[in-house]
Amino acid sequence: MFPSQFDYYRPSSLQEAIGLLGANPDAKVLAGGHSLLPAMKLRLTMPGALVDLSHIPELRGINVNGGVTIGAMTTYDEIEVSAELQQRVPMLAEAAAVVGDPHVRARGTIGGSLAHSDPAADLTAVFLALGGEVTAVGSNGERIIGADDLFVDLLTTSLQPDEVITQIKIPLTGRTAMAYEKQEHPASGYAIVGVAAVLTLRDGDHCESARLAVTGCTSKATRLTAAEDALSGQSLNEETITRAAQAASEGLEVNGDLYASEEYRRHLVTVITGRTLRRATGAITR
Amino acid sequence: MRGTIGASLPRPDAFGKVTGETRYPADLVRPGMLHLKVVFAGRPHARILGIDTAAALRQPGVVAVLTAADVPYNAHGLIEDDQPVLCAVGEKVRFAGDKVALVAAESREAAAAGASLVVVTYEDLPAATDPRAALAADAPLVHDRHGSNQLLHLPIRKGTIERGFAEADIVLDGTFSTSWQEHAFLQPEAGIAEVDEQGRLVVETAGQWLHEDRRQIAKILGLPEERVIVRYAAIGGAFGGREDLSIQHLLALAAWTLRRPVALIWSREESIVAHHKRHPMEIRCRWGATYDGRITAVEAEVIADGGAYASTSAEVVKVATLFASGCYEVPHIAADGYAVYTNNVPSGAFRGFGAPQAQFAAEVMVTRLAHTIGMDPVELRRRNIYREGSLEPTQQPLPPGVSALPVLERCVEEAQVHLGYGLAPQSLPATTSLVAESVEADQTATGSLTPRSARGAGNGRHSPSHLRRGVGIACGIKNVGYSFGYPEQSTATVELHGGGDIERAVVRVGAADVGQGSHLALRQIAAETLGVAPGTVEMVCDDSAEAPDAGSASASRMTLMGGRAVRDAAIEALAKWRDTDDLHVEATVQYRPPATTPLAAGTGASQPNYCYGYAAQAVEVEVSLLTGQVQVLRIISVHDVGRAINHQQVEGQIEGCLAQALGYALLEHFQVRDGRVLTPYLSTYLLPTALDMPTEIVPVILELSDPNGPYGARGVAEMPLVPLTPAIAAAIHDATGVWLTQQPMTPERILTALNVGTALEKGSSNEITTTIDTKSTVTAHASK
């Protein structure tokens, strides 16, 4: 189907973009467009205008200097092949590599993914487990939104309508082990269940703290707090991992759909959590 | 030219299809044509109170809105005229894909806008959406005049069923269910129509049978058949899904009524919602056997959801009931088939035509029987499988050319070579790597799940401990051609032109090439018979006015039927050619195969078919005990095709069909709730991709002549679909110890079965013999 009529703007600076969003209350921000354009074609959304961020140079790029800063319009592809990210935040590069297909990865952006808050996106859970933060700029200026405050609900974030994510920051703290694993939908590649884990380590395989997040089975990327509790302060052995995996779905509101029921997804949360933790800990040198 | 038969000649249509030059029906649309858009009911069961077209007609670009009032004879169907072209005010819509109005406009956009402005008021009616419930006396009636929702009840009786069970040492019960399958041909329905200078109505689309499309269109419009011409552009797959009229009659109606060229292109969603599907069936059965391996009795009840209109349901259910006992000679049979009207999408023809559903049940039951009596499943098959002269359930001997046993034996040989089938466990390589490579503990989610047979055919290969491999074997039978007394025929004309030698041969045969390569196969038959190079033969196949009726490209019949007609016409033309000095001779021959007979009331006694195709398959799968995911690793698919006219095309048919079969077995989960299709997109209805297919497919072609087929050829199109689901089910059982009885065998269903299996295993072992087979593959693999 064809989208409804809309105006198209392609600003060349962030300020211009913010201005356009303020002047067009029914405008939507166009990043990679891989979620927005299909939704428009199905007329699930009918914005009056699109503000295309693809020609704003300051929104692109990866900077690893102390912490990691990634421009919001950086594509999955660019994240996947970044040698610095592969080394410093390997999970992020690995997760970017399993988003959709090559076409999607060439166009889709990290900022777009986070701002869209798709319940089955990959990078939302990865970002949440990494405890990152986004910089949002709008007509009222700039603010920082932490990972735990960004995702509000299904396709809903705490961003204001005229706010744009400009960059994503990932803290780098101490010695960590991390991994992202998912079981994907056979047609779309979206996560049926995806789990990202970041374990902060001390003294060999002692887990000082853990951040785990799930995607694909909840209305938004969600922390697996019960699994985190089962890991924090523990030695990372098979017994701990099994206990954490079995605790993972505790208190989690899991959704089912035509492809996989709530019950099956809940089971997968345990399986995939275990798989994620085993891969994360498999790389630890003891 | 001698030596043409069997040669893997390249497909003349391949280059155009690869480069995009080939014109499919949607490519025929020209500027200036009117575009059509269908207004669908969108509800399963309702009475139409009114249709208001005023707003639609005011939409700029809209030229007309056609309704039932514009249709001269508003009923059609392949067998029964029970389907309206457009549903009328005061009448009912019977499924969500029923058509209520047809908007014609100057552009696609205007037609779509116009369709959205047609206001139809309905009185919703209670819907019958469960076939078993629809048989109840107080169920809502789908067709009021029919008086009940039972479209067909077919009993087949052979021997005395009580005696059969009395002779049995063991008796097993089983219940199996299958879902709809969508044809998902590459090219959704599309076409054009116009009235030519001679006042003839010309419809150009894709279909499976030119002359049947023509018959139905002419009847709807009240025209003599000669006034209607049906032409086929390149056909992007059919699989039975183009047997029923979908858009052909709508194009015809609009072009004839409006006297303007018209075009109609369906989206994938429209295609999925509106055209018929493979029948969902529920099969309850009971099989009896003796300890020495004689199958003594089969009792079966087959209930098929026919959906809203008759289509070919009655014939499909006859085939399914006939194959309730598979390809085995069983002395005592009581099988009852039911076709039921519901308010679901109509069910009709789909590759296999009832055979895959019936033999999913039959083949699983045979393997379970073997396990229970402690016999190799192959050996049990061997002892009971059809042989020359075996009596069918309909009490008559099989048509000559029974090759079920050699097909099975070849499959077993190939399975030994490729899958290590039948090798005793101790002779296999060491299994230590199964544990050594483990990255996941089995216990994480499913408890201590240890299958009965941890052997798996992949022993010695690297495989994490939560992955289990297994091998399964199944047989299959499917009729070639039309059954049960249908007046089966195929007609061809061969013209020869030239002086001393044949310079040019023209073969006229109205045979659809649905992508399977029938035109090349028929050309090779003509070339061989005439002794000319294939390039000398010109094929005229795609125009109902230019080519005689070859019958449908369905029931795996075109090579045998169309091919025989071409061969016989070529022989006759050649005889004329030798007897004359004329520069042109022509011969037309109608081939009729040995007659079949209708099923007798009460018993089903008959000679149901004139030819069968026989198949056997062996598969190896890998199952994840943690997620229920299955990967098919290898498939051996053995077929007696009588004679391969073009070897490469036969292999292509086998490989392509296996993809459809694998999708049916594992992925394609067509879901309907309260009469509404929940999976109208290919994002929700999952089709297999290259990555889902095994890395190794071994197509094995046997050439054991059919007595009637041209050069001994019989058909192959449907056969690979018949055994694959039970073969995969048997392989999953071999790997895990649990039986799947629901198609498709999705990861979730497999995991559920594993969990039930584990629970039963922990409980009393006496209760589980019918669910989990305690003997499993120890006997299956040791006894060969």
Side-chain angles (χ1 to χ4, degrees):
Chain A
M1 221 164 109
F2 302 96
S4 59
Q5 290 284 327
F6 61 90
D7 296 325
Y8 173 76
Y9 300 100
R10 198 171 69 190
S12 52
S13 76
L14 185 59
Q15 278 320 305
E16 192 186 343
I18 305 293
L20 285 165
L21 287 171
N24 296 277
D26 62 345
K28 281 224 170 232
V29 173
L30 176 66
H34 273 79
S35 297
L36 179 58
L37 298 184
M40 288 170 64
K41 286 183 179 180
L42 292 168
R43 305 217 172 182
L44 296 174
T45 180
M46 290 183 274
L50 291 186
V51 178
D52 182 354
L53 302 184
S54 65
H55 280 56
I56 305 178
E58 60 198 276
L59 295 182
R60 294 189 99 97
I62 297 166
N63 186 347
V64 179
N65 194 358
V68 172
T69 305
I70 302 170
M73 288 294 288
T74 306
T75 64
Y76 301 123
D77 248 0
E78 291 162 346
I79 292 170
E80 177 186 346
V81 302
S82 161
E84 286 177 311
L85 288 180
Q86 286 169 6
Q87 196 203 338
R88 304 297 295 276
V89 200
M91 170 171 73
L92 187 57
E94 284 166 16
V98 298
V99 174
D101 54 39
H103 305 76
V104 171
R105 294 197 289 274
R107 295 283 305 174
T109 66
I110 183 170
S113 178
L114 300 185
H116 187 55
S117 188
D118 189 289
D122 298 297
L123 292 197
T124 51
V126 169
F127 170 74
L128 188 53
L130 285 167
E133 57 187 40
V134 300
T135 305
V137 177
S139 54
N140 290 331
E142 182 179 300
R143 66 182 176 124
I144 305 292
I145 306 173
D148 289 317
D149 300 321
L150 182 62
F151 308 117
V152 174
D153 203 347
L154 185 80
L155 306 175
T156 309
T157 64
S158 54
L159 289 165
Q160 295 302 307
D162 72 340
E163 278 185 320
V164 171
I165 296 178
T166 57
Q167 59 184 27
I168 292 91
K169 287 190 175 169
I170 308 291
L172 290 179
T173 49
R175 207 169 127 248
T176 55
M178 57 178 72
Y180 175 70
E181 287 277 343
K182 68 170 168 177
Q183 181 162 328
E184 61 181 39
H185 186 274
S188 67
Y190 273 118
I192 301 296
V193 168
V195 175
V198 178
L199 310 173
T200 306
L201 306 170
R202 183 166 55 81
D203 304 337
D205 64 358
H206 183 81
C207 178
E208 192 167 77
S209 65
R211 281 182 72 99
L212 275 74
V214 70
T215 183
C217 61
T218 44
S219 59
K220 54 169 183 155
T222 304
R223 294 268 297 275
L224 296 174
T225 48
E228 292 174 356
D229 293 345
L231 292 162
S232 298
Q234 302 295 317
S235 182
L236 290 171
N237 51 36
E238 182 57 35
E239 193 191 332
T240 314
I241 288 172
T242 302
R243 203 178 322 118
Q246 269 160 356
S249 67
E250 267 174 33
L252 204 61
E253 263 191 53
V254 174
N255 301 317
D257 67 5
L258 284 179
Y259 178 74
S261 70
E262 184 230 314
E263 198 183 1
Y264 182 64
R265 279 187 154 88
R266 188 174 289 282
H267 166 82
L268 286 184
V269 171
T270 293
V271 173
I272 305 297
T273 301
R275 192 175 287 172
T276 306
L277 291 173
R278 285 187 192 94
R279 196 158 69 75
T281 55
I284 301 171
T285 29
R286 288 156 212 265
Chain B
M1 195 167 68
R2 312 298 169 214
T4 305
I5 295 299
S8 294
L9 299 183
R11 290 276 291 267
D13 54 334
F15 188 82
K17 285 178 173 172
V18 171
T19 58
E21 282 171 14
T22 299
R23 283 156 66 84
Y24 290 90
D27 302 317
L28 303 178
V29 181
R30 302 190 305 268
M33 287 183 157
L34 290 178
H35 291 261
L36 306 180
K37 181 83 178 175
V38 176
V39 177
F40 291 103
R43 61 192 67 218
H45 199 199
R47 191 166 302 283
I48 300 177
L49 303 179
I51 303 174
D52 185 349
T53 61
L57 287 167
R58 282 196 299 272
Q59 166 73 26
V62 170
V63 171
V65 180
L66 302 179
T67 63
D70 300 295
V71 187
Y73 173 69
N74 195 11
H76 70 96
L78 278 168
I79 296 171
E80 248 181 79
D81 290 349
D82 69 345
Q83 184 161 6
V85 177
L86 295 170
C87 300
V89 175
E91 299 288 326
K92 298 199 300 184
V93 297
R94 297 183 180 85
F95 81 109
D98 246 334
K99 306 166 191 88
V100 178
L102 185 63
V103 177
E106 300 289 353
S107 69
R108 276 188 90 171
E109 292 75 16
S116 69
L117 294 172
V118 174
V119 180
V120 186
T121 45
Y122 293 101
E123 175 198 355
D124 281 316
L125 300 169
T129 56
D130 174 76
R132 194 173 281 277
L135 287 173
D138 58 349
L141 285 179
V142 179
H143 292 267
D144 301 332
R145 275 186 295 268
H146 194 77
S148 114
N149 290 324
Q150 183 178 297
L151 172 61
L152 173 82
H153 169 212
L154 167 68
I156 291 182
R157 299 288 182 269
K158 180 187 178 191
T160 312
I161 192 69
E162 297 79 10
R163 210 182 118 200
F165 284 118
E167 287 173 5
D169 295 318
I170 59 130
V171 173
L172 291 182
D173 290 306
T175 300
F176 299 82
S177 70
T178 68
S179 187
W180 292 268
Q181 188 180 17
E182 156 62 31
H183 304 84
F185 25 63
L186 281 175
Q187 168 221 6
E189 293 82 350
I192 62 170
E194 58 198 314
V195 179
D196 73 5
E197 318 81 60
Q198 295 156 59
R200 299 177 305 181
L201 173 61
V202 182
V203 182
E204 291 189 71
T205 59
Q208 294 181 238
W209 188 356
L210 291 167
H211 295 80
E212 171 63 16
D213 288 357
R214 182 179 74 167
R215 180 191 72 81
Q216 292 189 58
I217 290 168
K219 193 172 179 184
I220 288 165
L221 295 177
L223 297 173
E225 288 188 19
E226 300 73 43
R227 194 90 188 264
V228 178
I229 297 175
V230 176
R231 290 186 194 136
Y232 290 159
I235 302 167
F239 315 116
R242 300 191 203 273
E243 279 199 19
D244 296 17
L245 293 183
S246 54
I247 60 159
Q248 296 90 339
H249 54 323
L250 303 177
L251 286 163
L253 173 71
W256 189 251
T257 308
L258 304 174
R259 299 280 155 167
R260 282 190 57 180
V262 297
L264 175 54
I265 300 173
W266 269 357
S267 67
R268 180 63 69 181
E269 182 184 9
E270 288 172 313
S271 173
I272 290 181
V273 168
H275 83 241
H276 66 272
K277 305 283 173 276
R278 184 190 299 287
H279 287 76
M281 292 191 191
E282 186 183 281
I283 299 168
R284 295 183 180 182
C285 57
R286 170 172 292 176
W287 288 58
T290 59
Y291 283 127
D292 63 356
R294 274 187 310 117
I295 300 173
T296 57
V298 173
E299 190 174 43
E301 178 191 72
V302 178
I303 296 184
D305 185 342
Y309 296 104
S311 181
T312 45
S313 279
E315 302 308 302
V316 170
V317 168
K318 288 177 196 170
V319 169
T321 312
L322 178 68
F323 293 141
S325 46
C327 53
Y328 305 98
E329 186 174 22
V330 179
H332 306 286
I333 294 173
D336 290 272
Y338 299 86
V340 185
Y341 278 126
T342 67
N343 294 111
N344 293 324
V345 59
S347 302
F350 195 137
R351 199 176 207 169
F353 208 72
Q357 298 98 316
Q359 291 176 70
F360 174 35
E363 288 296 312
V364 167
M365 292 305 290
V366 171
T367 300
R368 285 183 53 205
L369 281 178
H371 290 167
T372 309
I373 63 173
M375 184 178 281
D376 178 354
V378 166
E379 182 56 29
L380 183 62
R381 284 177 168 80
R382 208 176 263 138
R383 291 184 188 191
N384 295 276
I385 204 163
Y386 280 154
R387 288 168 166 78
E388 209 69 59
S390 290
L391 295 185
E392 290 195 66
T394 53
Q395 305 176 34
Q396 293 291 315
L398 287 157
V402 181
S403 49
L405 185 58
V407 167
L408 171 63
E409 297 293 8
R410 179 62 182 273
C411 182
V412 174
E413 284 168 29
E414 298 286 340
Q416 285 167 348
V417 172
H418 293 273
L419 309 179
Y421 182 81
L423 299 180
Q426 58 268 30
S427 69
L428 287 164
T431 61
T432 45
S433 67
L434 280 177
V435 178
E437 288 294 313
S438 170
V439 295
E440 282 186 43
D442 281 352
Q443 289 81 1
T444 306
T446 46
S448 60
L449 215 165
T450 311
R452 307 303 174 117
S453 140
R455 178 204 144 266
N459 272 342
R461 299 187 184 105
H462 293 328
S463 179
S465 64
H466 68 281
L467 299 177
R468 289 280 189 278
R469 290 189 176 186
V471 172
I473 284 192
C475 295
I477 180 171
K478 171 68 183 57
N479 56 292
V480 176
Y482 288 142
S483 315
F484 313 123
Y486 187 88
E488 173 72 308
Q489 72 84 38
S490 197
T491 306
T493 297
V494 172
E495 304 166 9
L496 303 178
H497 304 264
D501 295 327
I502 298 170
E503 288 159 18
R504 180 170 158 250
V506 180
V507 173
R508 296 178 184 275
V509 57
D513 193 327
V514 293
Q516 85 281 42
S518 62
H519 292 176
L520 179 56
L522 296 173
R523 184 200 294 246
Q524 286 181 245
I525 289 169
E528 176 87 18
T529 309
L530 295 169
V532 301
T536 310
V537 179
E538 187 182 313
M539 302 298 295
V540 179
C541 305
D542 295 320
D543 186 319
S544 65
E546 297 291 329
D549 183 359
S552 179
S554 62
S556 306
R557 67 185 282 289
M558 194 51 86
T559 303
L560 192 161
M561 287 297 304
R564 177 66 186 267
V566 167
R567 174 162 162 76
D568 289 1
I571 289 171
E572 197 171 313
L574 210 51
K576 284 186 182 174
W577 178 259
R578 285 172 184 145
D579 286 349
T580 179
D581 292 331
D582 290 352
L583 300 181
H584 167 93
V585 300
E586 180 180 318
T588 296
V589 170
Q590 182 189 54
Y591 173 67
R592 287 177 172 281
T596 62
T597 59
L599 300 152
T603 64
S606 70
Q607 186 68 55
N609 290 297
Y610 60 85
C611 177
Y612 289 107
Y614 299 94
Q617 289 168 347
V619 302
E620 183 184 7
V621 304
E622 186 170 81
V623 185
S624 165
L625 301 181
L626 294 178
T627 64
Q629 290 168 301
V630 174
Q631 184 72 37
V632 179
L633 303 172
R634 288 176 188 77
I635 301 177
I636 294 158
S637 196
V638 184
H639 302 274
D640 172 22
V641 303
R643 186 79 185 271
I645 303 298
N646 180 314
H647 237 268
Q648 187 185 49
Q649 287 192 173
V650 174
E651 288 187 359
Q653 278 274 43
I654 293 170
E655 289 169 2
C657 189
L658 285 174
Q660 202 160 37
L662 185 144
Y664 184 59
L666 295 174
L667 289 167
E668 299 185 33
H669 195 190
F670 195 86
Q671 298 182 62
V672 177
R673 188 181 300 146
D674 301 330
R676 287 166 212 269
V677 175
L678 303 178
T679 50
Y681 306 107
L682 299 184
S683 56
T684 46
Y685 183 74
L686 301 178
L687 296 174
T689 68
L691 295 178
D692 295 301
M693 292 305 289
T695 48
E696 190 181 353
I697 293 175
V698 184
V700 181
I701 298 167
L702 301 187
E703 298 185 301
L704 307 166
S705 276
D706 178 82
N708 301 304
Y711 300 99
R714 49 181 113 200
V716 72
E718 299 164 286
M719 289 62 177
L721 222 149
V722 178
L724 194 71
T725 301
I728 291 176
I732 291 171
H733 176 268
D734 186 34
T736 67
V738 299
W739 280 111
L740 274 291
T741 55
Q742 258 184 310
Q743 168 284 326
M745 299 177 278
T746 60
E748 184 162 353
R749 285 174 173 172
I750 290 169
L751 195 73
T752 303
L754 287 168
N755 287 336
V756 170
T758 311
L760 286 172
E761 205 169 318
K762 285 174 179 163
S764 160
S765 62
N766 295 331
E767 293 170 36
I768 63 175
T769 44
T770 57
T771 309
I772 297 186
D773 178 0
T774 51
K775 293 186 174 113
S776 191
T777 52
V778 176
T779 49
H781 293 279
S783 54
K784 169 63 192 166

